[in-house]
Amino acid sequence: MKTCIDREIVEFKNICVEGTVYDMFIKPLKEKYPEKWSEMFMIYFDKRYVECYEHDRALAKQLFIMMLFGKISQFTEVQQVFAKRFPILWDILTIKKKQSYKAVAKSFFDMEGSLMIDQVAKPLIRNHKRKLPIFSVHDCIATTEENLDIVTEQIESVFYSNFRNVPRISID
């Protein structure tokens, strides 16, 4: 029988891989910030808010990431939403952040770098003899349109080998 923490980890991993982790924040955060939601969108994205899923998801994602990387005293509304759904994970994260929120942020950056730079970008550059244009930007890999399939396949392979699942990939 799975323990509570095992269930939370599996559920959180699944919504991360499905690309729906930010969706769980939209409704409760819009309820917590009813008058400020569109104003916050303008502040973070420097464009007018339009009532649509894309804008809501973008702001929920922004707030979630800022909460993860920020101090315990910041983004308390986002913390409450996360803690309600994942109380054990939140307790663990809180303990770690109290020890050093900067160390927590660094470990997230290190994991992202390991995945996207070391396991995706570098092998693509090496295996294609530097003929495949690759640029990493935060958690994204930029390339030319004709190389999208190669890059997508590498990302999916890396995520499957690490997490036994493939993320939803956005191509812009």
Side-chain angles (χ1 to χ4, degrees):
M1 187 183 304
K2 286 191 173 282
T3 65
C4 291
I5 185 136
D6 290 337
R7 283 192 299 269
E8 277 191 30
I9 290 169
V10 167
E11 182 183 357
F12 187 70
K13 175 189 159 205
N14 287 341
I15 64 173
C16 287
V17 169
E18 291 166 3
T20 60
V21 69
Y22 311 119
D23 296 357
M24 71 175 238
F25 288 94
I26 295 171
K27 185 176 184 236
L29 288 178
K30 283 180 85 170
E31 289 170 359
K32 287 185 180 286
Y33 298 113
E35 289 87 34
K36 292 176 64 178
W37 190 254
S38 62
E39 181 184 316
M40 289 190 314
F41 185 86
M42 177 65 141
I43 290 167
Y44 293 123
F45 299 101
D46 197 29
K47 61 182 179 181
R48 189 172 82 61
Y49 171 74
V50 175
E51 180 82 27
C52 67
Y53 169 76
E54 290 77 17
H55 283 192
D56 289 340
R57 185 179 186 281
L59 183 54
K61 177 181 179 179
Q62 178 75 21
L63 293 170
F64 176 72
I65 291 170
M66 289 168 57
M67 179 272 298
L68 275 182
F69 286 83
K71 297 177 183 178
I72 296 292
S73 60
Q74 300 172 308
F75 307 102
T76 55
E77 292 83 357
V78 185
Q79 293 176 42
Q80 291 166 0
V81 173
F82 186 81
K84 185 175 181 181
R85 177 98 177 251
F86 299 104
I88 298 169
L89 291 176
W90 178 247
D91 286 344
I92 293 167
L93 185 60
T94 300
I95 290 166
K96 292 302 226 177
K97 287 176 92 171
K98 283 180 180 175
Q99 293 168 352
S100 173
Y101 82 94
K102 289 181 181 179
V104 171
K106 183 181 179 323
S107 69
F108 288 142
F109 281 126
D110 290 347
M111 181 173 62
E112 183 178 81
S114 170
L115 288 167
M116 298 306 287
I117 305 296
D118 299 334
Q119 297 179 51
V120 174
K122 285 181 181 178
L124 283 169
I125 292 166
R126 187 175 46 251
N127 295 340
H128 293 274
K129 314 270 190 267
R130 298 186 181 272
K131 293 182 178 161
L132 184 86
I134 296 289
F135 306 95
S136 63
V137 182
H138 184 48
D139 61 348
C140 302
I141 301 292
T143 191
T144 55
E145 192 169 340
E146 62 268 13
N147 293 301
L148 287 174
D149 290 342
I150 295 167
V151 173
T152 300
E153 185 179 306
Q154 179 71 12
I155 293 169
E156 289 174 347
S157 173
V158 165
F159 273 79
Y160 189 80
S161 68
N162 280 278
F163 305 112
R164 294 289 175 244
N165 214 324
V166 177
R168 184 173 64 178
I169 297 173
S170 297
I171 298 173
D172 296 328

